[in-house]
Amino acid sequence: MPKLKTHFAKKLLFLVLTGLFVVSGTAFGFGETKPAGIEIKEFSLLDTATDLIGSDYFKPEGYKDGHFKLKLNLTKKTVIKAIVLRTTDENGKDASQGIWRTNRVTAGWLLGIVQNKTVTTSTGTKQENVIINTGGFHKDTTVPVGEFEGNLSFDLYASNNGHSGSIKETQHFVLEIETPEGTVSSIPIKYKKPMIVEGASPAPDSDPSTPPPPASSTIEVYFNDEKIQFGSAAPIIKNGSTLVPFRKLFETLGFTVTWESSTEQATGTKDGLVIELTINSSTAKVNQNAITLSEPAQIIEGNTMVPLRFVAENSGYHVSYDSNNGISTIRIDKKGGTPSIPSAPSTPSTPDTPGAPNSSQDTVEPYVVKGYIRDIDGNPIAGASVFADNTLFYDSNIIGQTDANGYYRLELPELAATWRMSAKFTKTINGSNFTYTIYADQDQPFAGNSGAIRPFTWKNADGYIYIYPDHSSFREDLPTFNMLDVEITLTPTSGAEPITRKAHFVNDSVGLDQLPITRYKATARWLPEGHDPIPLLIRVENTGAYAASVEFEFGGPKGGLDYLKFQKELEISVP
């Protein structure tokens, strides 16, 4: 049975069963007293671009480290015995991809600690970075990392040790602070999804643990690289969501808009897609399907303001966020270079399966979920395994199969529970078998007693690449480097049309996604603003010398993990 997406109820049950619960951003075991006066204020993965330490000492070894930031608040002098970094899944369960420590009490690689201090001198104050474990591991486990007090800031460096896959921006990480009084742990984090506590607001329309922009930040919104001019009603951030004037956003995305004053409802219509938002309602509708909002549409100073990310992503666009020099930049772009506007695909007029949905308007039945699986061209996918995942009980599923027309119908037990849908199937591409796990087009839980219709659309192009820069090659005489200014051209060796795109965020890293599974010849250019294009050298990560081009092919599996068949990692360098 495949591992499916885990939802809040499952997470809570998992934590209860394993004796863990999260309070104020830290975790501790039932029956164990939480150490007093110790709080992890922030824990985040900053980058994977530095090489400061080796596997067990402070010396570069030729492999990039994971660079983490840790902020602690210790209300009294506290002895820290050890700090441990673990790779985990999203629930905090060990993922066996790596462990880093400050001592040799058990197996693991070095976790290097650098403290950021403000030092007072006769000429004033200055910032200093002090290496705490200068000799590498504390081999004598009775010797602590040190004694600390107050608000503290540390940079942590986890050696990759040449093991590809150990430090990845897509991996989850948990940090443990061991003291004589007990251990305090962070919640699981990922790159750009840090743990922040006490008064920090999330970044616009992001995961609640994403750091906020500065209070004085100017918010700029771009659609396909063109700045949207909102006029006098500027975007605002409220409770972590970016709200923008509804008419300007909808019209920019190509919708026809209407406003019903009696019900205070804003509606956008485009190519069979209808999005409805009602003022001060926490529920919106997309093609009549109810979806819960983190922040409702609302009238602010006479302007109707709607949540940007909700509207853009339900219109098939990708939303990214960046903050620099007091300016928060939000970009709305086509997914993978091709707009993906959700609409109801056409269905065969005479489906084989009795009771299978023959249109998007088919009647919902209590304790029944039904739908179809098709590729992006509307072709049915037969023989796919379909899973109704019970969100109350861990790993409890109802399983069925699609018929020759891609339809499925599952009868659910009469339980007071909600369900979420996923599916799994195998395709043979270029002689290799690729197993895909996909989720319903409307990836929202539904109540069993209500039933639901959940169609699936496979995008046919699930390959993706990550791109990592060789920072040492970017000289001071060159413009400031930004990964989003890198253009990649992928030329299929089969003779098909080349794919040329600028890099964008993929799975919380940077690269390209929605790539057909085939063999490619890859080249790269850097397109800094106001500068002529700069050709880049390229290679498969840690493989061979940099060259003007490199050939690669999706396949594997890599590291024994089936899903990594769809992933390739490339490195770029300035000649």
Side-chain angles (χ1 to χ4, degrees):
M1 187 178 299
K3 181 180 178 182
L4 306 178
K5 281 189 175 179
T6 306
H7 318 302
F8 176 76
K10 279 188 179 179
K11 292 178 182 177
L12 183 58
L13 183 61
F14 172 84
L15 294 175
V16 170
L17 293 177
T18 55
L20 290 175
F21 197 70
V22 175
V23 179
S24 300
T26 56
F28 54 96
F30 288 142
E32 173 186 332
T33 303
K34 178 185 175 183
I38 304 174
E39 185 174 33
I40 299 177
K41 305 286 288 185
E42 178 180 338
F43 175 49
S44 56
L45 172 58
L46 300 184
D47 59 68
T48 55
T50 55
D51 181 17
L52 183 64
I53 63 173
S55 60
D56 58 2
Y57 52 85
F58 258 96
K59 183 178 179 182
E61 63 177 349
Y63 297 104
K64 302 296 176 62
D65 307 325
H67 177 197
F68 297 80
K69 174 63 70 176
L70 169 64
K71 292 184 179 179
L72 281 177
N73 180 28
L74 306 177
T75 59
K76 61 181 181 180
K77 285 188 177 180
T78 301
V79 172
I80 295 179
K81 296 171 58 178
I83 301 180
V84 179
L85 176 73
R86 301 177 183 275
T87 51
T88 72
D89 64 13
E90 62 185 44
N91 300 313
K93 182 180 179 181
D94 282 351
S96 301
Q97 294 296 308
I99 182 170
W100 295 261
R101 307 183 60 89
T102 56
N103 60 27
R104 274 294 197 191
V105 66
T106 60
W109 301 322
L110 176 66
L111 184 64
I113 305 179
V114 177
Q115 184 176 4
N116 317 131
K117 286 185 173 182
T118 301
V119 179
T120 302
T121 67
S122 57
T123 58
T125 60
K126 63 177 182 179
Q127 293 296 122
E128 283 189 2
N129 293 323
V130 180
I131 298 176
I132 301 299
N133 49 343
T134 56
F137 282 112
H138 289 282
K139 295 179 174 61
D140 183 348
T141 58
T142 63
V143 177
V145 172
E147 187 176 48
F148 304 89
E149 184 178 15
N151 287 304
L152 307 164
S153 177
F154 299 93
D155 286 298
L156 309 179
Y157 295 90
S159 167
N160 199 34
N161 198 29
H163 291 257
S164 178
S166 299
I167 296 286
K168 297 297 177 189
E169 293 167 348
T170 54
Q171 175 67 54
H172 288 84
F173 297 90
V174 164
L175 193 73
E176 301 172 352
I177 312 293
E178 298 179 1
T179 74
E181 291 77 30
T183 298
V184 175
S185 300
S186 76
I187 62 174
I189 63 124
K190 287 175 65 177
Y191 181 55
K192 293 199 172 179
K193 297 293 176 71
M195 166 186 165
I196 304 284
V197 297
E198 193 180 289
S201 301
D205 293 318
S206 70
D207 183 280
S209 58
T210 306
S216 59
S217 174
T218 299
I219 303 170
E220 296 182 348
V221 181
Y222 291 82
F223 175 64
N224 290 340
D225 294 327
E226 291 189 15
K227 185 176 179 181
I228 302 176
Q229 302 296 336
F230 288 103
S232 58
I236 66 168
I237 298 172
K238 186 173 182 181
N239 297 325
S241 292
T242 301
L243 302 177
V244 298
F246 103 92
R247 185 174 296 274
K248 183 65 177 180
L249 176 63
F250 272 107
E251 291 181 345
T252 298
L253 299 181
F255 286 82
T256 299
V257 299
T258 58
W259 167 254
E260 180 56 56
S261 58
S262 61
T263 58
E264 293 191 315
Q265 185 178 83
T267 302
T269 305
K270 174 184 178 181
D271 298 332
L273 174 66
V274 180
I275 298 179
E276 302 170 78
L277 298 109
T278 302
I279 297 301
N280 296 327
S281 173
S282 59
T283 302
K285 290 184 178 180
V286 178
N287 284 352
Q288 294 301 309
N289 294 308
I291 298 177
T292 302
L293 300 171
S294 58
E295 185 69 17
Q298 50 203 274
I299 296 176
I300 300 175
E301 296 182 358
N303 299 294
T304 301
M305 308 289 280
V306 296
L308 179 148
R309 182 179 289 274
F310 169 80
V311 174
E313 291 190 342
N314 280 281
S315 304
Y317 291 92
H318 172 76
V319 179
S320 61
Y321 165 77
D322 188 27
S323 180
N324 192 24
N325 296 326
I327 299 176
S328 297
T329 303
I330 301 171
R331 296 186 182 275
I332 306 171
D333 298 295
K334 299 175 183 177
K335 285 186 176 180
T338 304
S340 176
I341 307 300
S343 60
S346 60
T347 60
S349 57
T350 55
D352 288 351
T353 303
N358 56 18
S359 78
S360 61
Q361 304 301 319
D362 190 42
T363 303
V364 178
E365 304 175 53
Y367 296 109
V368 171
V369 58
K370 53 190 174 180
Y372 52 78
I373 303 180
R374 298 193 178 127
D375 66 21
I376 201 168
D377 297 319
N379 300 310
I381 296 176
S385 297
V386 184
F387 303 87
D389 182 18
N390 187 320
T391 63
L392 178 61
F393 298 108
Y394 181 74
D395 207 19
S396 175
N397 310 288
I398 303 298
I399 305 174
Q401 252 189 351
T402 55
D403 66 10
N405 287 312
Y407 288 100
Y408 72 91
R409 174 189 172 91
L410 300 179
E411 295 188 1
L412 306 174
E414 295 188 8
L415 299 174
T418 57
W419 302 81
R420 212 164 189 174
M421 302 302 297
S422 68
K424 184 176 182 180
F425 59 93
T426 299
K427 288 283 186 180
T428 301
I429 304 174
N430 298 332
S432 296
N433 289 330
F434 291 82
T435 300
Y436 295 88
T437 297
I438 62 173
Y439 297 90
D441 296 345
Q442 184 190 348
D443 187 18
Q444 298 288 333
F446 63 91
N449 61 356
S450 299
I453 298 174
R454 289 292 188 266
F456 294 74
T457 305
W458 177 48
K459 305 302 183 183
N460 301 57
D462 289 344
Y464 58 93
I465 61 174
Y466 294 139
I467 306 165
Y468 304 121
D470 177 5
H471 286 283
S472 64
S473 70
F474 290 86
R475 307 182 302 272
E476 292 184 0
D477 61 315
L478 295 173
T480 301
F481 179 68
N482 185 337
M483 274 297 299
L484 300 182
D485 292 332
V486 173
E487 177 190 84
I488 302 293
T489 296
L490 301 174
T491 304
T493 58
S494 63
E497 286 294 316
I499 299 169
T500 299
R501 300 180 194 161
K502 290 183 72 173
H504 58 264
F505 288 106
V506 177
N507 297 335
D508 299 319
S509 191
V510 175
L512 300 180
D513 59 357
Q514 290 296 293
L515 299 173
I517 303 294
T518 189
R519 184 174 181 83
Y520 291 102
K521 176 182 177 181
T523 60
R525 295 196 305 167
W526 178 19
L527 307 177
E529 185 177 357
H531 196 284
D532 291 337
I534 301 173
L536 297 174
L537 301 177
I538 192 168
R539 69 175 183 177
V540 175
E541 186 189 30
N542 295 331
T543 304
Y546 284 102
S549 66
V550 66
E551 288 193 12
F552 70 90
E553 184 172 13
F554 292 105
K558 177 182 177 182
L561 299 176
D562 189 66
Y563 71 89
L564 291 181
K565 285 183 177 182
F566 313 111
Q567 170 191 312
K568 281 294 178 182
E569 296 165 309
L570 305 179
E571 293 178 306
I572 54 174
S573 175
V574 174

